[in-house]
Amino acid sequence: MKINFDKYADGLVPAIIQDAETQQVLMLGFMNPDAWQKTQQTGTVTFYSRSKERLWTKGEESGNFLELISAEVDCDQDSLLLKVRPHGPVCHQGTDTCWGEVNESHYGFLSQLEDVIAMRLEEGDTENSYVARLFSKGINKVAQKVGEEAVELVIEAKDDDQEAFLNEGADLMFHYLLLLQTKGYRLEDIVQTLRSRH
């Protein structure tokens, strides 16, 4: 992998640090050739600290190291994307990321939907919320609804009505997310189980 350290006057290239598992961006640092070489040799991310004017291994004082998983250079060969496994909080302020975000997996709209389901369950408004109403009937009713939706999806899979198939798939997914939370789990628990089998 060729990196153009000569492109900028200070001989440094930006290194974007991303969690290899959650895909969250954790921090931004800078590397010179010596920092990059040490990172490769040790498997632990080392930067060039502009304030200290020396090589600086992330975690050398806190113990919160960044274990290098993979590295890529961008199309102009003047910036790096380092995928890491963080050992502890990344930011010196004690947060998971330097932007104060929680470093957890996010599944786009499905995660948003999980949050809405959790909010409806917490509010418990059985009069105005379908989620709260179904949940109030107990685990057997929620599980039964998942079974019904699964059967309907299988029936639609045999036909050529794509819209009906997708709608039934959405219904099944929605009720499955509700069942997970009824049992005290979330989608991340299923992903971890699948990952353990991979």
Side-chain angles (χ1 to χ4, degrees), residues 6-7 15 35 37 56 59-60 77 80 84 91 99-100 106 108 113 117 119-120 123 128 136 141 181 188 196:
D6 298 323
K7 183 165 183 177
Q37 182 178 15
W56 165 66
E60 64 186 28
Q77 299 176 317
L80 290 166
V84 304
C91 183
W99 291 271
H106 195 271
L113 184 56
I117 291 170
M119 184 176 67
R120 298 287 190 265
E123 291 170 351
N128 297 304
S136 72
K141 285 293 184 184
Q181 291 199 36
E188 175 63 17
S196 72

Side-chain angles (χ1 to χ4, degrees), residues 45-63:
V45 178
T46 296
F47 299 103
Y48 181 82
S49 170
R50 296 172 297 172
S51 58
K52 299 174 184 177
E53 297 185 339
R54 65 170 177 83
L55 293 186
W56 165 66
T57 299
K58 175 73 178 87
E60 64 186 28
E61 294 175 7
S62 66

Side-chain angles (χ1 to χ4, degrees), residues 36-103:
W36 173 236
Q37 182 178 15
K38 185 172 180 183
T39 296
Q40 289 180 293
Q41 288 172 345
T42 64
T44 302
V45 178
T46 296
F47 299 103
Y48 181 82
S49 170
R50 296 172 297 172
S51 58
K52 299 174 184 177
E53 297 185 339
R54 65 170 177 83
L55 293 186
W56 165 66
T57 299
K58 175 73 178 87
E60 64 186 28
E61 294 175 7
S62 66
N64 299 329
F65 295 99
L66 298 173
E67 178 185 345
L68 182 66
I69 302 300
S70 66
E72 299 173 34
V73 66
D74 77 339
C75 56
D76 293 324
Q77 299 176 317
D78 60 5
S79 65
L80 290 166
L81 174 63
L82 303 182
K83 295 190 178 184
V84 304
R85 180 175 294 116
H87 294 266
V90 172
C91 183
H92 68 281
Q93 294 182 343
T95 55
D96 287 352
T97 79
C98 289
W99 291 271
E101 297 175 319
V102 176
N103 183 23

